[in-house]
Amino acid sequence: MNTQAIALHTRLRREARTEGVFRMATKASALLVLVLLVGVIASLIYGSWPALKVFKWSFVTGERWNPVTEVFGALTPLYGTIATSIIALLIAVPLSFGIAVFLTETCPRWLRGPISMAIELLASVPSIVYGIWGLFVLAPILQHSVQPWLIEHLGSLPVLGVLFKGPPFGIGLLTAGIVLAIMVLPFITSVMREVFRMAPLSLKEAAYGLGATQWNVVWDVVLPWSRTGVVGGIMLGLGRALGETMAVTFVIGNAHRISASLLAPSTTISASIANEFAEAVGDLYTSSLFALGLLLFVLTFGVIAAARLLLMRLERNAVRRV
Amino acid sequence: MNMLRRRRIVNVVAFTASTVATGIGLALLCAILWTLLSRGLGALSVSVFTQMTPAPGSSGGLLNAIFGSVVMTLLGILIGAPVGLLAGTYLAEYGRGSRLSTVVRFINDVQLSAPSIIIGMFVYTVVVAQMGHFSAIAGAVALGIIALPVMVRTTEDMLNLVPKSMRDGSAALGAQPWRTITRIVYPAARNGLVTGVLLAIARISGETAPLLFTALNNQFWSGSLNKPMANLPVVIFQFAMSPYKDWQQLAWVGALLITLFVLLLSIIARSISSLFGQHANPGE
């Protein structure tokens, strides 16, 4: 009897000890997610310190990027990053909106699954594949048919014309923007589809009852209702576009030069890092690339965090409403 | 009357446009797949799997790159998956509703879409610079860090699907929470957890940017984790950007292999999770 009680007691104690260990392990793993983020920030600041000390604010405003004279300014890659991302959004947002509307309104039920899956597969294609496709398939098409047309017809417009001047290189800001658009399209579509589906049926039915067409319902009822989610989805896409590396590296042309024309080769922050980091000679050069990384981190983290906050608020509201 | 007609026309035009948009989206997927098949299949041969990456001008295969990718992806998953599983368990079980979980969940969601090249720079600083040279283990660590948020997110989602009554039942029998989690909750969520691992593998096996300055590349066979190791993504990058026709050809083969592998994994993962009655979508 007594030995049995002792055996049970030790067993229970062992159970409790394992419980403590397991609990701590899960908590430590969760904390590791935060530690990694802090580590990333610390390593970027540590790495970029020498460059920031030398160039101070002129690192962000400087246009020169010269490894020989060791003068580094991030303005060109920053411009390229933002310009390509804007082009990507201008193309991807209307397309995503159209697809999301099709999937939630027009699409026959049995086709919904397969089409959603096909669009989401676009997100799983590795970015290097987009890069090689962009370079060998898309760029020649643009160079031989689209860009000459743009130059001929839009190049002579009074204000917008400068965007479409110069020879058709095939690679450059516009090409990178188009490739990025294809890459962020599935992410924006998927968020839009989710929030459109959440629109209350009673609201839609009320609008139909007032004589609205299906498009009136989408544009004047569903879209305003899901505004927050749509903005969140677009910003999520923007965050992706800003940080995308390999696909852009293939088609941007890697020229540290700012030109008004969208057809000209340029560079982005991520493409500069990918191209130059392994070969950078000298501490100041490497450190400047780290500073580019820090800039990219601040940019993407800000955009993605804002997007997540919007989407989180939306989720909480949805739960409350139910 | 006129107004009614206008609204009807707008309606038709708008929905036609949305159908066209969907058509464009699908056409893009088909165009990419078609290019890969038409350019990659022609050069696909046995030698791709039996020979090493060649010097320019000579023939060869991708054996060392495929081997390196498999090794580093597996190691990356071995690093990322257990930590992700435990962290996801904390979010769904012990820390449910706590302030720490809210913060971790938010940061994790941000990391899901954060640029992977920055992870490469981080691992370069903490591993490569400390060791003094590029190495396969550095590449695996970078891939593990990228797999982590995918695992955390899917684990939490999947554990949340397990009904509370099952946990209550286990607790009523006197089981400690860890026993409930490992014996009741994990088995109940098994399919979902497998989905998470598959999606994480799919995510990291095509990653290029973080490998550029961690594992670098290696033209020759290397089984050592302590040395630079060849891997498919970086070989594709290097070969595609080269002026040599036979290198570009191999790059297309590599791109085809990697895409088929990743798409197959995603489709399998999605089918498992839809059988499980859940819609896993950590990519959002």
Side-chain angles (χ1 to χ4, degrees):
Chain A
M1 173 63 203
N2 207 8
T3 51
Q4 255 181 2
I6 290 172
L8 185 65
H9 184 68
T10 46
R11 219 184 128 189
L12 281 178
R13 263 185 50 189
R14 205 168 51 217
E15 285 280 299
R17 208 178 312 134
T18 319
E19 169 65 24
V21 171
F22 186 71
R23 194 194 174 98
M24 282 317 295
T26 62
K27 192 167 186 178
S29 304
L31 282 170
L32 189 68
V33 174
L34 302 185
V35 171
L36 277 175
L37 179 77
V38 174
V40 168
I41 298 173
S43 72
L44 286 176
I45 293 179
Y46 169 79
S48 54
W49 197 249
L52 292 180
K53 219 167 56 186
V54 172
F55 302 116
K56 305 217 168 57
W57 279 109
S58 76
F59 183 77
V60 184
T61 55
E63 207 187 314
R64 302 257 300 278
W65 184 271
N66 192 335
V68 180
T69 56
E70 298 215 306
V71 177
F72 299 102
L75 196 62
T76 311
L78 189 61
Y79 167 77
T81 301
I82 293 173
T84 50
S85 301
I86 290 176
I87 298 172
L89 285 189
L90 286 179
I91 300 169
V93 169
L95 276 180
S96 305
F97 178 68
I99 298 173
V101 168
F102 178 81
L103 283 173
T104 48
E105 297 286 332
T106 337
C107 186
R109 197 164 287 274
W110 59 277
L111 256 179
R112 249 174 231 181
I115 294 186
S116 308
M117 185 146 168
I119 298 293
E120 271 164 29
L121 281 185
L122 275 176
S124 359
V125 174
S127 75
I128 184 137
V129 173
Y130 281 106
I132 185 170
W133 181 80
L135 181 65
F136 288 104
V137 179
L138 184 65
I141 296 177
L142 290 176
Q143 183 173 19
H144 296 303
S145 35
V146 179
Q147 292 183 346
W149 187 90
L150 287 175
I151 294 165
E152 199 186 314
H153 292 88
L154 302 179
S156 50
L157 288 179
V159 181
L160 278 177
V162 288
L163 294 176
F164 303 103
K165 278 217 158 54
F169 287 102
I171 50 177
L173 290 171
L174 181 67
T175 316
I178 294 175
V179 172
L180 280 178
I182 306 174
M183 298 183 72
V184 300
L185 178 124
F187 296 99
I188 304 180
T189 306
S190 142
V191 175
M192 281 190 182
R193 203 191 58 210
E194 290 301 314
V195 292
F196 287 172
R197 218 180 344 203
M198 273 158 51
L201 199 60
S202 53
L203 266 185
K204 295 166 74 173
E205 280 168 351
Y208 282 124
L210 290 173
T213 61
Q214 197 176 10
W215 177 251
N216 290 148
V217 172
V218 168
W219 190 255
D220 297 319
V221 177
V222 176
L223 189 59
W225 187 89
S226 47
R227 199 174 47 227
T228 320
V230 169
V231 173
I234 293 173
M235 286 175 67
L236 210 56
L238 176 63
R240 288 257 169 189
L242 290 171
E244 176 46 49
T245 308
M246 293 321 292
V248 176
T249 307
F250 271 93
V251 295
I252 189 75
N254 302 310
H256 275 280
R257 191 170 47 208
I258 296 185
S259 40
S261 173
L262 297 181
L263 311 181
S266 181
T267 190
T268 68
I269 296 180
S270 48
S272 301
I273 300 173
N275 267 315
E276 299 172 38
F277 193 82
E279 282 140 30
V281 194
D283 290 342
L284 198 58
Y285 194 3
T286 309
S287 174
S288 297
L289 288 167
F290 266 104
L292 277 185
L294 183 62
L295 197 61
L296 180 65
F297 178 84
V298 171
L299 215 59
T300 50
F301 191 91
V303 171
I304 298 172
R308 287 290 175 195
L309 280 176
L310 281 180
L311 293 175
M312 245 166 70
R313 212 173 57 193
L314 199 75
E315 236 162 74
R316 217 175 304 143
N317 287 348
V319 169
R320 203 176 299 147
R321 205 169 280 126
V322 173
Chain B
M1 191 60 213
N2 215 353
M3 172 129 170
L4 200 65
R5 239 183 76 189
R6 222 196 76 209
R7 278 173 46 193
R8 228 174 257 149
I9 292 171
V10 169
N11 194 45
V12 169
V13 169
F15 279 100
T16 312
S18 98
T19 312
V20 170
T22 310
I24 293 176
L26 296 178
L28 285 169
L29 181 67
C30 293
I32 290 167
L33 292 181
W34 169 249
T35 312
L36 282 173
L37 286 173
S38 64
R39 301 223 182 176
L41 267 189
L44 192 62
S45 64
V46 183
S47 64
V48 168
F49 301 99
T50 55
Q51 292 179 20
M52 305 297 157
T53 46
S58 55
S59 68
L62 294 167
L63 178 61
N64 50 340
I66 294 172
F67 170 78
S69 273
V70 171
V71 167
M72 282 190 280
T73 304
L74 283 182
L75 270 178
I77 276 295
L78 282 179
I79 296 169
V83 182
L85 181 72
L86 287 174
T89 305
Y90 181 79
L91 296 185
E93 305 286 337
Y94 290 115
R96 194 191 283 239
S98 73
R99 188 176 296 175
L100 175 64
S101 328
T102 313
V103 175
V104 170
R105 188 176 302 121
F106 178 71
I107 294 299
N108 190 68
D109 279 353
V110 173
Q111 298 277 56
L112 261 181
S113 355
S116 54
I117 192 158
I118 286 178
I119 302 298
M121 296 186 104
F122 169 64
V123 174
Y124 176 86
T125 313
V126 286
V127 182
V128 177
Q130 306 310 318
M131 288 170 78
H133 53 84
F134 299 103
S135 65
I137 194 73
V141 169
L143 293 182
I145 295 177
I146 289 164
L148 178 66
V150 183
M151 276 303 293
V152 174
R153 180 65 193 268
T154 40
T155 303
E156 192 201 354
D157 286 351
M158 296 306 165
L159 296 189
N160 276 336
L161 288 179
V162 177
K164 186 164 180 300
S165 53
M166 290 178 76
R167 298 185 179 88
D168 292 345
S170 173
L173 290 173
Q176 294 270 15
W178 75 273
R179 238 177 224 287
T180 304
I181 293 168
T182 53
R183 291 289 174 79
I184 306 292
V185 181
Y186 283 168
R190 197 187 63 220
N191 287 341
L193 298 177
V194 171
T195 304
V197 175
L198 293 182
L199 286 178
I201 295 178
R203 170 76 204 270
I204 61 175
S205 50
E207 278 291 349
T208 316
L211 293 178
L212 283 176
F213 22 87
T214 52
L216 202 65
N217 196 1
N218 195 332
Q219 208 198 315
F220 307 104
W221 175 271
S222 164
S224 164
L225 294 180
N226 208 13
K227 290 197 191 116
M229 195 182 258
N231 56 88
L232 268 181
V234 177
V235 167
I236 296 173
F237 178 49
Q238 193 191 338
F239 281 18
M241 294 298 247
S242 78
Y244 312 111
K245 273 274 167 281
D246 34 1
W247 271 19
Q248 291 178 2
Q249 196 57 254
L250 274 176
W252 280 109
V253 177
L256 174 69
L257 290 178
I258 239 176
T259 312
L260 289 184
F261 176 71
V262 170
L263 289 191
L264 204 67
L265 264 190
S266 315
I267 292 175
I268 293 174
R270 273 164 218 282
S271 329
I272 292 180
S273 74
S274 66
L275 286 180
F276 188 56
Q278 159 65 17
H279 174 86
N281 200 0
E284 281 177 10

